[in-house]
Amino acid sequence: MTRQYEVVYIFDSALEEAAINEKLARFHTLIQEPGAEPPQLAYWGKRTLAYPIKKHETGYYAVAKFEANAAALPEFERAVKLDEGVLRFLVVVNEGAQPVPAAAAKSGEEDDE
């Protein structure tokens, strides 16, 4: 059974964009099934970290949304963990749009008037 996942990567900011793209392509071949759509990538760029990670003050953020079989995730996560260019990453199940609390939705309507 396949599910929608979202992964946020924080790469070492010293890496060139070509190196980051090569790493992303290598990671995504581990989870991509034949005939499936390629992951949707969003590059957030270089940002200052809230706290130093591995003595780095900045990191290059990238977000990918993909559909994969859960059995493929352990090998994917292992490959990402072993890569020294990745400072942090987080994989979560993408359950679609998040519900908006009633109070927030109501205050948004009042702002429009």
Side-chain angles (χ1 to χ4, degrees), residues 61-81:
Y61 284 70
V63 179
K65 293 181 181 180
F66 58 90
E67 187 171 317
N69 191 335
L73 287 181
E75 181 61 25
F76 166 75
E77 290 179 331
R78 180 182 163 281
V80 176
K81 282 180 189 173

Side-chain angles (χ1 to χ4, degrees), residues 5 10 13-14 21-22 32 35-36 51 68 73 77 79 87 96 108:
Y5 294 95
I10 305 175
S13 61
N21 286 331
E22 182 271 327
Q32 192 169 3
Y51 54 88
L73 287 181
E77 290 179 331
L87 300 179

Side-chain angles (χ1 to χ4, degrees), residues 3 23 26 44 46 59 66 76 82 86 103 106 111:
R3 295 182 80 174
K23 289 177 185 291
R26 186 166 42 89
W44 291 1
K46 188 176 177 180
F66 58 90
F76 166 75
L82 291 175
V86 178
K106 192 172 187 174
D111 292 340

Side-chain angles (χ1 to χ4, degrees), residues 4-5 7 28 37-42 63-67 94:
Q4 292 283 332
Y5 294 95
V7 59
H28 294 156
E37 290 185 29
Q40 298 173 354
L41 286 169
V63 179
K65 293 181 181 180
F66 58 90
E67 187 171 317
N94 184 358

Side-chain angles (χ1 to χ4, degrees), residues 16-113:
E16 298 287 329
E17 191 166 328
I20 291 171
N21 286 331
E22 182 271 327
K23 289 177 185 291
L24 289 171
R26 186 166 42 89
F27 297 152
H28 294 156
T29 58
L30 297 172
I31 52 173
Q32 192 169 3
E33 295 182 13
E37 290 185 29
Q40 298 173 354
L41 286 169
Y43 298 98
W44 291 1
K46 188 176 177 180
R47 295 180 177 219
T48 302
L49 302 173
Y51 54 88
I53 300 174
K54 297 179 185 176
K55 299 182 181 179
H56 294 274
E57 299 285 335
T58 60
Y60 189 91
Y61 284 70
V63 179
K65 293 181 181 180
F66 58 90
E67 187 171 317
N69 191 335
L73 287 181
E75 181 61 25
F76 166 75
E77 290 179 331
R78 180 182 163 281
V80 176
K81 282 180 189 173
L82 291 175
D83 194 299
E84 293 180 1
V86 178
L87 300 179
R88 290 281 164 93
F89 75 100
L90 179 66
V91 180
V92 295
V93 174
N94 184 358
E95 297 178 338
Q98 297 298 313
V100 178
K106 192 172 187 174
S107 67
E109 292 173 2
E110 292 173 358
D111 292 340
D112 293 341
E113 294 176 8

